[in-house]
Amino acid sequence: NAGVTQTPKFQVLKTGQSMTLQCAQDMNHNSMYWYRQDPGMGLRLIYYSASEGTTDKGEVPNGYNVSRLNKREFSLRLESAAPSQTSVYFCASSSLTGGDSPLHFGNGTRLTVT
Amino acid sequence: QKEVEQNSGPLSVPEGAIASLNCTYSDRGSQSFFWYRQYSGKSPELIMFIYSNGDKEDGRFTAQLNKASQYVSLLIRDSQPSDSATYLCAAYLVNQAGTALIFGKGTTLSVSS
């Protein structure tokens, strides 16, 4: 009963390095999301994928790219990490986008960029 | 920009009291609203959702929605120290790209024993 699985759990990068955060869900959900959470800022939407084959920008997309690899997997890539991207990243999924579909969250990835 | 607004708190209540958490939203087209609880260092977990005007009760929790005033609230009755957490309000908002769940900044609740 895994739900939403994120890897890695922790990561430290140097400025300018690249990395990909992985997310997979086993609930057969159509929609997947990437949020970042910073102290005092709540959860801010980076990118989302309403269905397999589509991706859309959220509130704070600059500096990130995403790939909806298949229905289960949605990855987030930082091409050239910056200290401003130090944050906790949450992946989430829902059966649909909208209506009464709640989000189910992964356990988060804590990223530090030095 | 379409938003979901919450008072960041902290909101402090004694054990056994009613805690009242409030949220406003800017998009009159929003239809459904969610309350999540987040303990420090953990991921958000769903408490309840509401999409009809009025009250919805689930155990000690009651969500209230007033679409005319664009206002959502969460009442926690008989508050316990274990309720101490950050409470996040969220709404599906429609933007140019589509529909996505947007969160407020959260209200920190502290229940003292």
Side-chain angles (χ1 to χ4, degrees), chain A residues 33 35 37 40-43 45 48 56 59 90 96-103 105-106 110, chain B residues 32 34 36 38 41-44 46 49 51 88 92 95 97-105:
Chain A
Y33 311 78
Y35 291 87
Q37 187 172 38
M41 297 299 292
L43 285 161
L45 182 64
Y48 66 105
D56 290 297
E59 302 167 275
F90 287 101
L96 297 171
T97 298
D100 59 358
S101 299
L103 267 59
F105 285 87
R110 283 150 182 79
Chain B
S32 51
F34 301 81
Y36 284 81
Q38 186 176 28
K42 302 295 186 181
S43 55
L46 179 69
F49 66 89
Y51 52 84
L88 302 166
Y92 275 112
N95 58 31
T99 301
L101 196 65
I102 302 300
F103 286 80
K105 294 182 179 180

Side-chain angles (χ1 to χ4, degrees), chain A residues 32 79 105:
Chain A
M32 298 186 73
E79 291 290 352
F105 285 87

Side-chain angles (χ1 to χ4, degrees), chain B residues 39-102:
Chain B
Y39 293 112
S40 181
K42 302 295 186 181
S43 55
E45 54 180 341
L46 179 69
I47 298 174
M48 60 193 308
F49 66 89
I50 186 168
Y51 52 84
S52 298
N53 271 329
D55 296 358
K56 180 180 179 181
E57 187 174 318
D58 184 359
R60 296 186 297 111
F61 298 97
T62 299
Q64 299 174 318
L65 174 59
N66 183 325
K67 289 187 177 181
S69 299
Q70 296 178 240
Y71 178 89
V72 188
S73 65
L74 179 69
L75 300 178
I76 306 175
R77 291 182 300 281
D78 188 24
S79 295
Q80 301 297 309
S82 59
D83 294 325
S84 297
T86 296
Y87 290 79
L88 302 166
C89 173
Y92 275 112
L93 302 182
V94 178
N95 58 31
Q96 290 180 337
T99 301
L101 196 65
I102 302 300

Side-chain angles (χ1 to χ4, degrees), chain A residues 25-95:
Chain A
Q25 52 91 9
D26 62 2
M27 296 175 283
N28 200 35
H29 283 168
N30 291 298
S31 304
M32 298 186 73
Y33 311 78
W34 278 105
Y35 291 87
R36 61 178 287 175
Q37 187 172 38
D38 305 293
M41 297 299 292
L43 285 161
R44 292 185 291 172
L45 182 64
I46 305 171
Y47 271 94
Y48 66 105
S49 172
S51 61
E52 185 179 359
T54 68
T55 60
D56 290 297
K57 295 179 180 180
E59 302 167 275
V60 288
N62 291 343
Y64 305 95
N65 286 300
V66 292
S67 296
R68 183 75 183 265
L69 304 170
N70 48 55
K71 191 172 185 178
R72 292 186 61 249
E73 298 173 287
F74 188 39
S75 63
L76 179 71
R77 182 160 180 83
L78 287 70
E79 291 290 352
S80 179
S84 61
Q85 294 178 305
T86 294
S87 189
V88 179
Y89 291 85
F90 287 101
C91 177
S93 70
S94 64
S95 56

